[in-house]
Amino acid sequence: MACSENMFFLIGLFMSGVLACFGQRDLIASMPDRLDVLTGSCVQIPCSFDIPDKHKDTFNSAILLSGVWIKEFPYLGERPDSVIFNSTEMVNRYQGKITGNMSQKNCTTVFFNVTTNYTDIYFFRIESQPFLAIDFGKHVYIVVSDLPSSPILTVSGEVKEGTPVSLNCSAVAPCPEHPPELTWTLPTQFTTENQLQENPDQTKSVLSTVTFTPSYLHHEKNITCTAVYPVGTSNKRAEHNMTLNVSFSPKDTSASISPDDPVFVGSCVNLTCSSTANPPVTNFTWFKISEGKTTQVASGQSYTLNVTVGDGGLYYCQARNSHGCGMSNEVQLAIKGHEEPVNPKVFEIVGKTLGLIFLFSLIVFFAWRRRTSRLPSGFDMTDRSQGLVGMNSPVGTVCSNQATVGRGNQ
Ligand SMILES: *[C@@H]1O[C@H](CO)[C@@H](O)[C@H](O)[C@H]1NC(C)=O
Ligand SMILES: *[C@@H]1O[C@H](CO)[C@@H](O)[C@H](O)[C@H]1NC(C)=O
Ligand SMILES: *[C@@H]1O[C@H](CO)[C@@H](O)[C@H](O)[C@H]1NC(C)=O
Ligand SMILES: *[C@@H]1O[C@H](CO)[C@@H](O)[C@H](O)[C@H]1NC(C)=O
Ligand SMILES: *[C@@H]1O[C@H](CO)[C@@H](O)[C@H](O)[C@H]1NC(C)=O
Ligand SMILES: *[C@@H]1O[C@H](CO)[C@@H](O)[C@H](O)[C@H]1NC(C)=O
Ligand SMILES: *[C@@H]1O[C@H](CO)[C@@H](O)[C@H](O)[C@H]1NC(C)=O
Ligand SMILES: *[C@@H]1O[C@H](CO)[C@@H](O)[C@H](O)[C@H]1NC(C)=O
Ligand SMILES: *[C@@H]1O[C@H](CO)[C@@H](O)[C@H](O)[C@H]1NC(C)=O
Ligand SMILES: *[C@@H]1O[C@H](CO)[C@@H](O)[C@H](O)[C@H]1NC(C)=O
Ligand SMILES: *[C@@H]1O[C@H](CO)[C@@H](O)[C@H](O)[C@H]1NC(C)=O
């Protein structure tokens, strides 16, 4: 291929410019600017033409009309071999057919068995003696490649869980006799609808619309639309991949407590909420259930508290984003220091009382027997009780705030 794409366009631009200046278009042809074609397949060039008013009397559509396609260089006087197709000739350099009805000014043409050396710009000419005209101002750029171009995937609006969504996949059909077949790969069940449609420039495309109902489980899963082009006895395929972005309300919301064991009053407890959501959770809120009442106690992903006697109870969190909210399981905050100091004191009092009664009895008994005796070992229990009380004094880490609130925004 001697000429670059740019050069074709420069030639075209130059000619359009010259014609625009002098207004000398003898024929007005309409065709697409560009066609992308597959090697070995066919190409249909949608084409129509019109005769400018100044030539309306010389042109007679009743007379035998030839349609001629010219490759690259339209000045036939200088290069007559640039004619690659002439509808009145039996044999042409390009195998083809004008499928449009020329009497109705439809010059739609199909070329078969396209090879890569067909890549070029093409001009159209009509011959209807004595009227002969080329439209120098319009050409079609045909690009032949071995691989089909990828289909185009489009989604309208946001993909939300539970709301049916439609996706379009569109693949060009330069050879409408052998259109591509479109298939979908989705992570869920779906329905499709295919149709051959005409684009504004009269070229054809196959459009496939798929409808399905996304769930949060489909977030970040792939969707593929595959176009299979039949070429001769084999197929050529091209595909388009897309990763689903499903927006959903918070899921798998769970609350955890650290430490997970009963704690003493004055120690530090960390409640943490976790959740997955798209877009991410904006608000975490903590609730406490105590004596059948639910109260909001904090906001933020983690809630740290320096335990007081009243803090015992069940806690849960709520995660919220723009699509809704999710509620967690309940976690128990059990307090050790709240109950245990009471019992040792009771033991202490009971122990001391019993000890005193026992001592008194002994004194009375021994005094009555007029014998002296050693004191019994009733103080062991008292010592143990005091030891237990001693263990209740605040221990553990330093908790700077009553509630350290971490912002849930990400
Ligand atoms: C097209 O074919 C006709 C019939 O053979 C011939 O008269 C005419 O000159 C040809 N046109 C061109 C541009 O070759
Ligand atoms: C021109 O002819 C082609 C092929 O026969 C046809 O598909 C197309 O609809 C026609 N165009 C018009 C404008 O009639
Ligand atoms: C082409 O169009 C003309 C005029 O409209 C009509 O008479 C003729 O039958 C058409 N030819 C074909 C092949 O359809
Ligand atoms: C295209 O070429 C193949 C051989 O390569 C031939 O069998 C077939 O008939 C041709 N198709 C057309 C429409 O001419
Ligand atoms: C185009 O290439 C094919 C092989 O790919 C060759 O047979 C044919 O002669 C070439 N045609 C032209 C006009 O160069
Ligand atoms: C899909 O294509 C149809 C028909 O062209 C159009 O009405 C619809 O808006 C398109 N939908 C998307 C998601 O692009
Ligand atoms: C999804 O598509 C991307 C890009 O095409 C690819 O790299 C990735 O492996 C695919 N993932 C899955 C699960 O198919
Ligand atoms: C509470 O737990 C969260 C998550 O494990 C951690 O990010 C945070 O630093 C902890 N806060 C305290 C005060 O330990
Ligand atoms: C996915 O959608 C969410 C919510 O609509 C948005 O915030 C996020 O930026 C999107 N992510 C990607 C990778 O497009
Ligand atoms: C969520 O957080 C934002 C900013 O952090 C705050 O303005 C808003 O009031 C909160 N909403 C609820 C329901 O707590
Ligand atoms: C808990 O609060 C009490 C009283 O405000 C304080 O004396 C104690 O040091 C705090 N405990 C921790 C672990 O910060």
Side-chain angles (χ1 to χ4, degrees), residues 158-159 219-220 243-248 278-280 322-323:
E158 197 182 2
V159 181
H219 182 52
E220 289 177 341
T243 304
L244 275 175
N245 186 1
V246 183
S247 53
F248 56 92
N278 183 33
S322 50
H323 290 271

Side-chain angles (χ1 to χ4, degrees), residues 75-330:
Y75 299 98
L76 295 182
E78 290 169 49
R79 209 167 339 142
D81 65 336
S82 53
V83 171
I84 49 91
F85 183 83
N86 180 339
S87 65
T88 43
E89 296 282 359
M90 295 306 288
V91 178
N92 283 295
R93 276 177 61 199
Y94 283 17
Q95 276 186 301
K97 189 181 174 196
I98 293 189
T99 55
N101 187 336
M102 290 273 280
S103 306
Q104 292 174 346
K105 297 176 179 169
N106 184 339
C107 47
T108 299
T109 305
V110 180
F111 291 128
F112 305 101
N113 285 9
V114 169
T115 60
T116 42
N117 53 19
Y118 280 29
T119 299
D120 216 317
I121 59 169
Y122 295 88
F123 295 87
F124 186 66
R125 168 182 170 95
I126 59 167
E127 299 184 345
S128 167
Q129 291 293 349
F131 183 76
L132 309 166
I134 295 181
D135 187 353
F136 294 103
K138 183 69 199 173
H139 57 77
V140 57
Y141 179 38
I142 293 178
V143 183
V144 186
S145 54
D146 286 331
L147 295 172
S149 52
S150 293
I152 294 160
L153 252 182
T154 50
V155 191
S156 65
E158 197 182 2
V159 181
K160 280 188 227 172
E161 63 170 344
T163 307
V165 66
S166 287
L167 273 72
N168 279 355
C169 180
S170 159
V172 293
C175 179
E177 282 170 60
H178 303 288
E181 194 183 311
L182 298 185
T183 55
W184 292 88
T185 311
L186 258 75
T188 182
Q189 286 193 316
F190 57 92
T191 56
T192 57
E193 205 183 291
N194 291 14
Q195 69 191 75
L196 189 67
Q197 62 166 26
E198 197 170 274
N199 300 313
D201 66 356
Q202 258 74 59
T203 56
K204 301 283 198 312
S205 289
V206 176
L207 174 75
S208 179
T209 304
V210 72
T211 307
F212 72 104
T213 304
S215 104
Y216 78 102
L217 298 169
H218 305 141
H219 182 52
E220 289 177 341
K221 293 276 190 301
N222 279 352
I223 273 190
T224 309
C225 172
T226 309
V228 178
Y229 289 85
V231 177
T233 52
S234 64
N235 287 328
K236 288 184 180 177
R237 53 206 296 139
E239 60 180 40
H240 191 129
N241 261 309
M242 195 184 82
T243 304
L244 275 175
N245 186 1
V246 183
S247 53
F248 56 92
S249 64
K251 296 285 183 297
D252 304 327
T253 306
S254 101
S256 64
I257 183 163
S258 168
D260 198 9
D261 306 312
V263 294
F264 291 111
V265 165
S267 58
C268 200
V269 165
N270 194 1
L271 294 165
T272 306
C273 193
S274 68
S275 186
T276 56
N278 183 33
V281 172
T282 50
N283 294 58
F284 288 99
T285 315
W286 286 96
F287 295 90
K288 183 190 172 193
I289 308 170
S290 180
E291 290 156 9
K293 277 197 295 184
T294 301
T295 44
Q296 183 179 330
V297 289
S299 62
Q301 186 159 16
S302 67
Y303 171 37
T304 303
L305 64 165
N306 177 345
V307 176
T308 63
V309 174
D311 285 338
L314 290 170
Y315 289 81
Y316 68 89
C317 66
Q318 200 185 62
R320 181 179 292 275
N321 71 359
S322 50
H323 290 271
C325 67
M327 219 142 80
S328 77
N329 53 309
E330 289 165 3

Side-chain angles (χ1 to χ4, degrees), residues 60-80:
N60 180 355
S61 71
I63 298 171
L64 175 71
L65 211 58
S66 298
V68 175
W69 285 96
I70 296 150
K71 183 177 180 174
E72 190 179 342
F73 193 76
Y75 299 98
L76 295 182
E78 290 169 49
R79 209 167 339 142

